[in-house]
Amino acid sequence: MIYNMHMRKKYTHVPLNEEIISPTTEYQNGGRYYCIGDEKYPSVTTVTGWEKRNFFAKWRRENPLESKRVLSRGNNLHEAIEKYINNEEDFLNGCNDNVIDLFNQMKPMLDNIDNVHAQEVALWSGLLKLAGRVDCVAEYNGKLSIIDFKGSTNAKREKQIENYFAQACAYAIMWQERFEQPIEQVVILISNEDGITQEFVRDSKKYVPTLKKMIDLYWEENTQLINT
């Protein structure tokens, strides 16, 4: 499918008032850690995915080709979306037809975004003792939001993706801690290979208890990892 360049949106980008630092990362005990000064914080995805880690590890072992395909699909779709929002001309360059279809399905939702504050930047929180890399911080339909982009094989039920909402909630807390700017809305956009696109717009505060439960579970099993 050939994308019509005349239909593309031009995004406004809002400069940040301080430099974003990219901390180093390391892997240990099945998770990714961000090194922030003298601290070492587990990644948001490691913590929010901890309960289901064995299930997904087993699935990857039993489905190596599909696992590789899904990983490539996600990386390529994210890269295309990032380039599009950055107003780059060649945002679909190198994408296969599947990724182009997923992008075009999501495009009407992407065009609800504007006044972009950040994309793919590292955030962390001394309060949560977590770190990660947020997909997008921007206005969605006029309201500042944490926005996460997903590609999927099939449509998701909301109960299946509690970890997505918990991640977005964590990034909202990190952003406020870092920039003193509250973010009350989280947005999860999913483009599915079955032709369905999904838009979840939620209040970030709703997922604080879910996030806390995931953090507590993680540290119950990893009490000796931090700063070792």
Side-chain angles (χ1 to χ4, degrees), residues 51-224:
E51 185 175 14
K52 297 181 179 179
R53 72 193 186 284
N54 292 328
F55 170 83
F56 286 112
K58 181 175 183 291
W59 182 86
R60 288 191 294 269
R61 289 194 303 271
E62 295 176 350
N63 302 274
L65 294 181
E66 179 65 2
S67 176
K68 182 178 180 181
R69 185 189 76 85
V70 167
L71 178 61
S72 176
R73 177 189 68 193
N75 289 339
N76 290 334
L77 180 61
H78 271 82
E79 184 177 358
I81 292 169
E82 182 182 1
K83 288 180 177 179
Y84 180 68
I85 294 175
N86 278 336
N87 299 319
E88 296 184 29
E89 295 297 328
D90 62 345
F91 58 93
L92 291 177
N93 185 40
C95 293
N96 62 30
D97 288 345
N98 182 37
V99 171
I100 293 173
D101 287 343
L102 292 174
F103 175 89
N104 284 333
Q105 285 178 193
M106 191 182 285
K107 182 185 176 296
M109 299 175 188
L110 297 179
D111 289 350
N112 292 330
I113 297 170
D114 208 352
N115 295 322
V116 181
H117 289 63
Q119 278 203 101
E120 290 294 334
V121 300
L123 297 174
W124 57 89
S125 167
L127 173 66
L128 300 176
K129 304 297 183 184
L130 294 179
R133 192 169 292 276
V134 65
D135 280 3
C136 184
V137 181
E139 291 181 9
Y140 193 82
N141 288 328
K143 187 170 183 177
L144 189 63
S145 307
I146 299 293
I147 308 171
D148 198 7
F149 310 111
K150 302 291 185 183
S152 181
T153 304
N154 301 300
K156 303 293 188 184
R157 298 190 305 274
E158 187 164 347
K159 186 67 176 177
Q160 292 177 287
I161 56 172
E162 282 191 332
N163 58 318
Y164 295 173
F165 296 110
Q167 290 169 25
C169 173
Y171 288 129
I173 293 170
M174 292 177 192
W175 185 268
Q176 181 168 359
E177 185 176 326
R178 180 76 186 273
F179 296 104
E180 299 182 352
Q181 186 177 33
I183 298 181
E184 298 179 352
Q185 181 167 279
V186 296
V187 180
I188 311 297
L189 303 179
I190 308 176
S191 188
N192 302 288
E193 291 179 340
D194 58 9
I196 296 173
T197 52
Q198 296 176 279
E199 175 194 57
F200 297 93
V201 180
R202 300 291 185 268
D203 184 337
S204 64
K205 295 189 295 297
K206 175 182 177 181
Y207 298 97
V208 170
T210 302
L211 175 62
K212 183 179 185 305
K213 180 181 177 181
M214 291 176 173
I215 293 173
D216 290 345
L217 175 65
Y218 177 82
W219 286 116
E220 282 176 10
E221 300 184 19
N222 293 274
T223 54
Q224 301 301 317

